[in-house]
Amino acid sequence: MNRPARFLLTASAAALCACAAPKTGKSYDLDFSKQKSTSQSIEANGQTVKFRAFEGIVYVARPTDTRYETINIYIPEAYYNGGSINGYTAETAPVFFPNKIGGYMPAEPGKPALEGKRGDPNGPKSPNAALLALSKGYVVASPGARGRTTADGKAPAAIVDLKAAVRYLKANDKVMAGNAQKIISNGTSAGGALSALLGASGSSRDYEGRLKALGAAEADDSIFAVSAYCPITDLEHADMAYEWQFNGVNDYKKMNITMLDYNVKRELVPGTLTDAEKNLSDRLKPLYPAYLNSLKLKDAQGRALTLDSDGNGSFKRHIESLLVQSAQRRLDEGKDLGKPDWLTVKNGKAASADFRKYARAAGRQKTPPAFDGVDLSTGENQLFGSATDDKRHFTAFSARSSTFRNARSADAETVNLMNPLHYIGRSDVKIPQNWRIRAGTDDRDTSLAVSAVLAAKLQNNGYTVDYALPWGVGHGGDYDLDELFDWMKKISG
Ligand code: DHB
């Protein structure tokens, strides 16, 4: 192969971690230059996208799961001929890092492909984010990660895996096309939460022991930028946030997430809250203001974002203003808003929103507590399980109210390791400057407060956050790829 000089294996790359052989089992070589590729091409938007595919690379020396602790790496063919795409070269191309994690389940690495939309997989096909990224000159590195359904995939396994995959890319920067100092992470829902956590906890020592145990490459694991769609994050406060939003909304359509043949499957099951569930909601809702106020957040104008004991106040008005901005953007696109009863439009302009009415119209999707089920029935209970207890609590509230005999709780350290809010503002982490966060106005999988708090905390700590609530968009991601790639280009130069 005709390699540019930059791809030649250097002494430091050769010293990668095939060194520390495990006591048992196979040791994987972390030197990318030894990997074999296949040449592939896919027709996308009338263009032939040519690339080399390096698939199924195990990214740690001592994996516990070789199905998921793998990464697929795709490099535009032009970079093997000294070419440039979209202003990028083999030297400068940022690395797009999309994870396919959903429901905190195990996830295999993604592939560039023409795909139907989520919810309509057999509908019209268009290039997925990975394929579009290649067509725009990005190197694509899609990591797999362990997930909650396996004994070794419990929290914090998935974030440890993503960090190990980042370290693999950074350790191999000299022998691989693309600039590993410019890793842009992307993910949706649980994958969005992990994308945000990967950014927020960059270079943290907290994960070191776990990374060492896996034989992760010796490198820094900070990244360049974060894209997160509807992050299901801040899990230990998401129950109270959900009831702050949905208390009084007693009918629900509950999402049942299962895994069929390793594909995440989602089904809506309708119901009405029982008296016991209403009681849980009434007890959770008043816990949120104290938590929100403890964060001491400010809006873009420096005004304090707070809530009174009834859950009213400037933070609620802040979310209402985000909803108004969403409606206005829709109007500016010349599109119809329908006639939502929670929105006031005056003289063709979105004027005000009523959060209570909005919540009623959006509709409840989860029964209280939405994440830490008192009966240990949620995916998050399984996420915070252990090798010996498949499901555990992770909030004091649900542990106290547990209906499960002898239920155990995850330790505080594990819970912290999964929460990006725990890292933002700390001086011992390297957090990317640029963030893009999206949560649709029709998304009911977590409270809008969760992404609003993440965005505000980042902004308050000096990071640049492109945060918006796309109008009429439900739980999902990658629906605005043109805008996503415009943002990536803008921040990457
Ligand atoms: C996802 C959705 C949820 O409602 C949740 O609690 C966790 C994950 C998801 O789609 O990834």
Side-chain angles (χ1 to χ4, degrees), residues 249-254 269-275 277-278 364 367-368:
V249 181
N250 295 330
D251 294 332
Y252 60 83
K253 287 204 179 100
K254 193 167 180 160
V269 184
T272 302
L273 296 190
T274 62
D275 286 346
E277 287 167 336
K278 285 183 202 158
R364 173 191 283 277
T367 52

Side-chain angles (χ1 to χ4, degrees), residues 102-103 118 189-190 232 257 266 366 371 380 445 475:
R118 184 163 154 166
S189 192
I232 300 285
I257 302 185
R266 294 171 171 80
K366 295 185 173 181
F371 296 90
E380 285 75 13
D445 279 58
H475 191 64

Side-chain angles (χ1 to χ4, degrees), residues 104-413:
Y104 286 104
M105 300 277 198
E108 291 184 344
K111 298 176 187 233
L114 298 166
E115 278 177 7
K117 295 259 171 284
R118 184 163 154 166
D120 186 17
N122 301 321
K125 300 211 181 322
S126 54
N128 66 7
L131 179 54
L132 219 49
L134 286 170
S135 77
K136 293 175 186 289
Y138 295 88
V139 166
V140 173
S142 181
R146 291 167 297 168
R148 63 176 163 93
T149 50
T150 64
D152 67 329
K154 307 294 182 184
I159 184 62
V160 174
D161 286 350
L162 295 188
K163 284 174 173 291
V166 167
R167 288 182 177 205
Y168 178 92
L169 296 173
K170 289 199 157 176
N172 282 292
D173 196 19
K174 292 207 169 63
V175 294
M176 202 186 114
N179 179 358
Q181 297 307 315
K182 292 236 169 126
I183 295 175
I184 305 174
S185 172
N186 182 49
T188 296
S189 192
L194 286 158
S195 182
L197 179 59
L198 185 66
S201 66
S203 294
S204 169
R205 303 287 303 167
D206 294 2
Y207 306 82
E208 199 57 37
R210 291 171 170 87
L211 285 159
K212 277 226 153 37
L214 289 173
E218 294 285 342
D220 160 67
D221 55 53
S222 63
I223 57 170
F224 176 69
V226 171
S227 161
Y229 289 95
C230 54
I232 300 285
T233 193
D234 195 12
L235 294 171
E236 64 268 37
H237 304 105
D239 294 335
M240 48 180 94
Y242 205 79
E243 299 316 315
W244 171 71
Q245 179 162 333
F246 288 110
N247 180 262
V249 181
N250 295 330
D251 294 332
Y252 60 83
K253 287 204 179 100
K254 193 167 180 160
M255 182 70 76
N256 200 12
I257 302 185
T258 48
M259 203 149 172
L260 193 71
D261 300 335
Y262 293 94
N263 289 314
V264 176
K265 185 167 160 258
R266 294 171 171 80
E267 260 176 335
L268 283 172
V269 184
T272 302
L273 296 190
T274 62
D275 286 346
E277 287 167 336
K278 285 183 202 158
N279 176 269
L280 287 165
S281 174
D282 290 346
R283 286 161 51 212
L284 279 163
K285 178 189 170 191
L287 301 181
Y288 192 60
Y291 166 64
L292 187 276
N293 294 339
S294 77
L295 297 172
K296 303 207 177 327
L297 299 175
K298 294 192 168 62
D299 70 9
Q301 285 72 44
R303 292 174 301 214
L305 296 171
T306 57
L307 292 173
D308 64 21
S309 55
D310 291 328
N312 295 315
S314 55
F315 180 71
K316 189 167 110 176
R317 291 195 295 278
H318 173 64
I319 297 211
E320 288 172 340
S321 79
L322 290 165
L323 289 165
V324 170
Q325 287 165 34
S326 171
Q328 188 56 48
R329 270 192 304 274
R330 179 85 176 176
L331 288 173
D332 292 344
E333 289 166 5
K335 294 192 183 136
D336 186 40
L337 292 174
K339 285 217 181 315
D341 69 345
W342 52 268
L343 183 75
T344 308
V345 179
K346 276 195 194 136
N347 304 323
K349 293 266 175 224
S352 64
D354 179 321
F355 188 61
R356 281 283 117 245
K357 287 188 182 164
Y358 160 76
R360 199 163 284 286
R364 173 191 283 277
Q365 185 189 290
K366 295 185 173 181
T367 52
F371 296 90
D372 188 356
V374 287
D375 57 356
L376 292 183
S377 62
T378 71
E380 285 75 13
N381 289 131
Q382 194 177 42
L383 171 68
F384 285 107
S386 69
T388 46
D389 295 285
D390 185 43
K391 297 166 179 181
R392 293 190 297 185
H393 290 298
F394 50 94
T395 64
F397 178 92
S398 291
R400 268 198 316 273
S401 311
S402 190
T403 60
F404 198 90
R405 255 178 45 154
N406 303 325
R408 290 179 200 269
S409 292
D411 55 285
E413 186 209 348

Side-chain angles (χ1 to χ4, degrees), residues 460-487:
N460 292 176
N461 281 280
Y463 302 104
T464 310
V465 189
D466 177 336
Y467 175 50
L469 311 178
W471 183 264
V473 170
H475 191 64
D478 292 2
Y479 40 74
D480 55 353
L481 291 176
D482 288 345
E483 286 102 322
L484 173 66
F485 284 104
D486 285 350
W487 171 80

